[in-house]
Amino acid sequence: MSGLNMIVCFKQVPDPEAPASALKVEGKEVITSPDIKPVADEYGEFALEVALKIKGSIGGKITALSLGNNLARDVVKKSLAVGADELILLEDEAFEGSDNHATSHALAAAIRKIGEYDLIFCGRQSSDWGVGQVGLSLATQLGIPAVSVVRKVDIVEGKARVEEVTPDGYNIIDVELPALFTITSEAGALRYAALKGIMAAARRQPTIWKAADLGLDPSEIGTQGRVNKINKLYQPSSEVKCEIVEADTPAEAGAGLAEKLREARIL
Amino acid sequence: MNNSKGILVIGELSEGKLVSITKEMLGIARKLADESQQDVSCLLANESVQQTPQEAIAFGADKVYTAEDPALKSGGIYVYLQIVEKLIADISPWAVIMGQTYLGTRLSPRLAAKLGVNLTTDCVDLKLDPDKKAIIATRPIYGGNVFAELSSDLIPHLVAVRSKAMSPIEQDSSRKGEVTSLKAEIDQSVIKTKIVKSVKEEVTGVKLEDAFVIVAGGRGIGGAEPFKTTLQDLANLFPSAATGASRPPADDGWVPEAKHIGLTGRIVAPDIYFAIGISGASQHMAGCTGSKTVVAINKDPEANIFKLANYGVVGKYEEVLPAFTEKLKSLLAE
């Protein structure tokens, strides 16, 4: 089997390495300070790497797919720079405020519009809301089988053979195509883009689909399409005061720490 | 679904006993049900449920539904989903509580999509809204830097709760309840996944979730060996201790994935958490926020971990930790 059609869904998120102080709750929104750069969610990047490996071994076409509004071009075009063949953005003001229900609904509509596909890859969960639902919800809506938290995908005799990470090891699972997999970190980091790829990606424009292009009613997407109501957001008070044990040498500090913990009856 | 009534707990069992998350789910279900005059039911589905229905009743269930079939153990999630869907269609519960576990994280999103309702995952608290029409679920977002209180107008309310976040009620073996055995009618023809092989990666010693002391290492450890020596030496001082890791050591294969603590790994809540060479990224800290005392050793004085730890030493762990272990050993022997 060759020439598989693959779709990789990925999300733009605020840099997860940003310190807590860079996040602020304003009403029912989390605002990140302007110096925090958006990045492609790393689980989506792991998913793209899995697709690239398959393309490298048996060939195929990769369509990268993302949803949002005002997506940063350098973030989304990275997919093209590393080897995705096409980039489709569901970009519309109407998508703002989507929860995972509205997001998976819109992604399902886009994937139906794309039409032909053998494999869909998503990240296992994102670093911002970390809900971990979109992939499985999408597969359920499309009526295709899915395996979540996958670290390896091989194509064997027209089927996918995948490794699913379990709490005490892993399962090897055979799955009929078309299928969807959500990818975990053990799959390995996304390759670096070669300069040639970056230059080529810079010249290309993503395909933009608006909600109306997908035949979606405003009531199904964005804030209106939410089934998950935000009652309140708040930041936990972080008033931990760390007692630093100091000494002339690291070894003495280590011994001092033992005494301190013993005195405090912690150990 | 205005006639929807009752709280259904999707119970989990292992080797003929309820696992602790099931008791925790029954505990919160009992509390919510008592406040809203509803019943608690519990599904127990596995190859064999043994004495767990009685155990579930003792921990707060009014009704227990059992399903027994070898395919429930070995057949994968789509087998399980069929049983749950059928039960929900039959009893139309007002709410369904699942665990943020291997089973629950695979079951709950599929179920929500099938029913077309909301699901809130990874809940650390559940309460009724003031008019008792909905569940308000609290979950961490942005790696635990923000908390969200979420609800929905759609019924049934689906929630997946985090391990160790809720309390079980006291076991009362005199509680009475009803046990109904469901016929496991499984349609294999619609199942397009097949488990070819299950591989267990043995982790010896105390399980992370059960440990009172955890000695965790991060990227700063630099390799596999110190986990077995320097970190293990400290763990060996305690009767119930285990070593763990943040994500980089697990991704690099220094430790098995089963040792990975964090948002996408194990969620732990020991009495003492030693964070050695761990920067304190929120992805990792989200997995150990329940720890009573956090002790950090890191060579970088600016590391985020020092904003989260109760005690700390700035220095190379290779020098600090052996001296700490040695001193503690002699203090504990006194």
Side-chain angles (χ1 to χ4, degrees), chain B residues 14 20 32 35 46 51 56-57 122 124 155 197 199 210 237 256 267 270 279 292-293 295 303 326-328:
Chain B
S14 170
S20 49
L32 297 175
E35 288 169 13
N46 208 314
Q51 297 307 307
I57 290 165
D122 204 17
V124 294
I155 289 171
K197 196 174 159 197
V199 181
D210 301 335
L237 295 186
I267 307 280
S279 66
K292 281 198 191 119
T293 303
V295 181
E326 199 52 41
K327 184 72 186 176
L328 188 62

Side-chain angles (χ1 to χ4, degrees), chain B residues 69-92:
Chain B
D69 193 297
L72 282 162
K73 196 174 165 150
S74 59
I77 193 64
Y78 289 101
V79 173
Y80 208 98
L81 185 63
Q82 286 185 22
I83 303 277
V84 175
E85 268 191 275
K86 171 92 174 31
L87 179 62
I88 288 177
D90 287 349
I91 68 170
S92 45

Side-chain angles (χ1 to χ4, degrees), chain A residues 14 16-17 20 23 25 30 42-43 46 101 124-125 127-133 136-137 140-141 143-148 151 161 164-176 185-186 227-236 240-245 250-251 253-255 257-262 264 266-267, chain B residues 78 102 105-106 109-110 113-114 116-121 136 138-154 191-201 238 247 251 257-258 263-264 266 272 274 281-283 293 295 297 306-314 316 319-320 323-324 327-328 331-332:
Chain A
E17 298 294 324
L23 299 172
V25 170
V30 178
E42 57 177 349
Y43 288 101
F46 303 141
H101 179 87
R124 64 178 285 184
Q125 68 193 81
S127 62
D128 52 357
W129 275 70
V131 168
Q133 286 183 43
L136 292 179
S137 174
T140 307
Q141 290 183 49
I144 60 172
V147 181
S148 43
R151 68 178 185 190
R161 172 160 287 191
E164 172 205 37
V165 179
T166 63
D168 52 9
Y170 62 97
N171 285 333
I172 297 174
I173 305 180
D174 279 352
V175 189
E176 290 176 30
S185 55
E186 292 160 289
V227 295
N228 192 316
K229 289 199 304 186
I230 300 175
N231 294 41
K232 190 171 132 189
L233 297 178
Y234 62 94
Q235 285 176 285
V240 180
K241 204 180 162 298
C242 187
E243 195 168 326
I244 302 280
V245 179
L257 177 66
E259 281 170 349
K260 176 79 74 185
L261 293 178
R262 193 74 181 137
I266 289 166
L267 285 170
Chain B
Y78 289 101
Y102 176 56
T105 51
R106 292 175 302 145
R110 290 177 167 101
K114 288 246 178 189
V117 297
N118 175 59
L119 160 69
T120 304
T121 54
I136 297 176
T138 306
R139 82 185 302 279
I141 58 175
Y142 290 87
N145 288 319
V146 179
F147 282 81
E149 288 190 1
L150 305 161
S151 66
S152 183
D153 297 332
L154 301 179
I191 296 176
K192 293 179 173 151
T193 58
K194 185 169 174 268
I195 300 176
V196 182
K197 196 174 159 197
S198 279
V199 181
K200 299 234 179 301
E201 289 171 337
F238 310 100
R247 210 183 74 192
D251 281 354
E257 173 61 22
L263 195 61
T264 55
R266 307 275 158 157
I272 303 149
F274 288 98
S282 53
Q283 287 268 11
T293 303
V295 181
I297 299 174
F306 290 117
K307 297 200 180 87
L308 307 160
N310 307 91
Y311 295 90
V313 170
V314 179
K316 282 183 161 176
E319 295 168 33
V320 177
F324 172 77
K327 184 72 186 176
L328 188 62
L331 288 172
L332 290 173

